[in-house]
Amino acid sequence: MHQAIPYSYKTYFPTTIGLSRDTSTTTTTTTSVADATNVGKLVSENAVIVFGRRGCCMCHVVKRLLQGLGVNPTVSEVDDQDEAAVINQVLKINGVDQESGGQDGSSVQFPVVFVGGKLFGGLERVMATHISGELVPILKEAGALWL
Amino acid sequence: MNTTSAQFVTTRRIGVYEPIHQISTWGENFKSNSNLNTSSSLILEDTKLDNQSEDASHGTMAPSNQYDQEASKPADKVLRRLAQNREAARKSRLRKKAYVQQLETSRLKLIQLEQELERARHQGLYMAGGLDASHLGFPGTVNSGITAFEMEYGHWMEEQNKQIGDLRTALNAHISDVELRMLVENGLEHYTKFFRMKGSAASADVFYVMSGMWKTSAERFFSWIGGFRPSDLLKVLLPQLDPMTEQQLMEVYNLQQSCQQAEDALTQGMEKLTLTLAETVAAGRLVEDSYLPHVASAMDKLESLVGFVNQADHLRQEALQQMYRILTVRQAARGLLALGEYFQRLRALSSLWATRPREPA
C-alpha cells in the first residue's frame, strides 16, 4: 500500500540548485577547524594540511588538485575572526623553521599548504611545482603519497 | 555571360566549328566567383581583341584560301589546329595568371579588413558597455582600464603577427641556434606581457576577461576561464613538433597530464563558486524581497573570480615555460610558430564565418 509521502524539491535535488557534479565533500578528507591555538598541532600531525577560509573556492581547488594526485589532505577551515591570528601562527612556524625555503613571510595568503610540517605555499606554488613535476616527489618524501 | 560571348566570338573569328572546350572550362571556374568574373572577362576581351587583330588578315583571305584548302586539306587543318591550340593554351595561361593575382590581392584585402574590423568592433562594442548593451542601445559606462587594455591589445596583436612572420622566415632560413633562441625567448616574453595585461584588465572588469570580449568569436568558443586551455593546446601542437625523443615524448605526456589535473581542479573550483554565487543571489525571499540581501557576500565571491582568472593565466604561463624546458630550441621555435599560426587561423575562420553568404531572409 502506498503511503502519501510529502515531496519537496529536496527529494529530487539533493543540492539546492541542481548540478550534475557533486561539489559537496563526499571524499575522504578530514576537515577540522583551525584557530590560533591548534595550528602548530595540526601542522605537525598531518603530512599535508591546507588552511583556508570557510567556503573558499580556491581552497576547494587546492584540495581537488591534491586529491587528484592520490593525496589525502587535511583541510582546516578558518573562521573569519580567527584569520589574522591563524596567519600569525603560520608565520611563526615558518620563522622557526629556517630551512623552509624562500618564503617571504609577509605575503602569506589563504589558502596555504603545509607539507611535512613545513610551509609549502599557496595555490600558485602548488600549481607551478605540479607543472614542473617537482610536486609529486616532494609529497612522496613527506609521506603523503605512496607508489 | 562569359561563356556565351566566348563561344560567339570564337566561331566568328575562326570560321569553322572548333572545340571551345578549353575556353569554356575556364569560364566554368569563374562562374562560381562573381568577383572574378568582371576582371577575367576583361582579360578575355583583351585577348580576344588581340587575336582578332592578328587573325584579321586570315579572315579576309579565308574565301580565296578555300580552294587551296581543299587541295591540301589534311596538312592545313593540322597546322591550323596546332596554332589554335597554342592560342588557346596561351589565353588559358594568361587567365590563370590574372586569377591568381586576383586571389592574392583579395587575400591581402581580407587580412586588412579583418584587422580593421577587430579594432573598430571592439572600440564600438566597449564604448556601448558590451555586446548585449550595444544590441539594446544602452549607453554604458566607459571603463578606462578596459579601454586601455583594448588599445594595448591592438598593439600587441600587431607585434605578435610581426613576430610570427619573423619566426617563419628564421626557420626557413636556417639561422643559428643562438639567434633562434633569442627569437623564442622574445616570443615567450611577449606572452608574459599579454598575461600581465590580462591581469590588469581582470582587476578592472573580471566579467570582460572571463567572457573573452576582446577575442574573435571562434577564439571565444574555445575559451576556458578567459583564455586557452593548456592541455587542448598541447594536443594540437604535439604533432607539429615531430620528431621528438622518447624522453621528450614522455615529458610532454606528463605535462599534458599535469595540465589536465590542474584544469580539472580549477574547473571544479569554478563550479563551486558558480553554485554558491547563485545561492547567494537567490538567498532570502525572492518573491517578497526586491533587493539583494547578501550584497557584500555576493561581491566577495565576485572578487574571487579575479583570483581564478589569475590562476588560470598562471597555469598557462607555467605550461609554456615547461614546454620550453622540454624542447630543443628549434622545436620550441616551431612550437611557438605553430601556436601563433593556430590562433591566426581561428581568427580568419571567425571572419569567414561572419561574412559567409547567407540565404536572404
Side-chain angles (χ1 to χ4, degrees), chain B residues 154-299:
Chain B
H155 299 314
W156 187 90
M157 188 52 69
E158 277 174 26
E159 174 65 23
Q160 179 72 351
N161 288 332
K162 177 179 169 297
Q163 281 193 9
I164 292 173
D166 288 346
L167 265 174
R168 197 178 292 124
T169 321
L171 279 172
N172 287 333
H174 305 293
I175 66 170
S176 74
D177 271 10
V178 172
E179 290 169 314
L180 202 55
R181 187 175 289 282
M182 256 175 46
L183 281 178
V184 169
E185 298 202 337
N186 280 346
L188 288 173
E189 176 57 41
H190 204 226
Y191 276 110
T192 305
K193 183 176 176 190
F194 181 55
F195 292 132
R196 255 202 311 273
M197 282 162 55
K198 275 174 78 183
S200 312
S203 303
D205 181 359
V206 73
F207 289 125
Y208 178 87
V209 177
M210 282 292 297
S211 313
M213 293 304 295
W214 68 94
K215 297 177 192 240
T216 58
S217 38
E219 289 173 293
R220 220 177 296 141
F221 175 72
F222 289 102
S223 222
W224 169 79
I225 311 189
F228 64 80
R229 191 187 273 271
S231 59
D232 280 349
L233 220 59
L234 284 174
K235 285 181 205 132
V236 164
L237 292 182
L238 198 54
Q240 311 290 334
L241 301 171
D242 270 346
M244 289 201 282
T245 67
E246 245 182 80
Q247 171 75 9
Q248 284 179 321
L249 281 170
M250 192 187 72
E251 288 180 327
V252 173
Y253 175 75
N254 287 338
L255 176 59
Q256 221 172 286
Q257 287 294 97
S258 310
C259 284
Q260 189 68 59
Q261 286 162 332
E263 289 163 26
D264 285 347
L266 279 171
T267 305
Q268 289 181 45
M270 277 293 292
E271 287 184 351
K272 179 159 191 244
L273 181 62
T274 309
L275 177 61
T276 50
L277 181 60
E279 286 175 341
T280 308
V281 169
R285 305 166 305 164
L286 271 170
V287 178
E288 286 82 8
D289 301 332
S290 60
Y291 56 90
L292 178 61
H294 303 294
V295 179
S297 177
M299 297 289 266

Side-chain angles (χ1 to χ4, degrees), chain B residues 9-44:
Chain B
V9 173
T10 317
T11 356
R12 214 186 327 128
R13 208 173 352 122
I14 294 177
V16 292
Y17 285 110
E18 287 294 335
I20 25 181
H21 179 66
Q22 281 160 317
I23 300 172
S24 53
T25 22
W26 271 110
E28 291 307 316
N29 286 340
F30 293 160
K31 261 193 222 159
S32 54
N33 189 335
S34 54
N35 272 349
L36 298 171
N37 262 345
T38 36
S39 60
S40 59
S41 61
L42 285 172
I43 301 286
L44 201 57

Side-chain angles (χ1 to χ4, degrees), chain A residues 13 25 27 46 56 68 84 112 118 132 141:
Chain A
F13 302 108
T25 45
T27 53
N46 293 286
C56 168
V112 67
K118 293 196 288 212
S132 66
E141 214 187 294

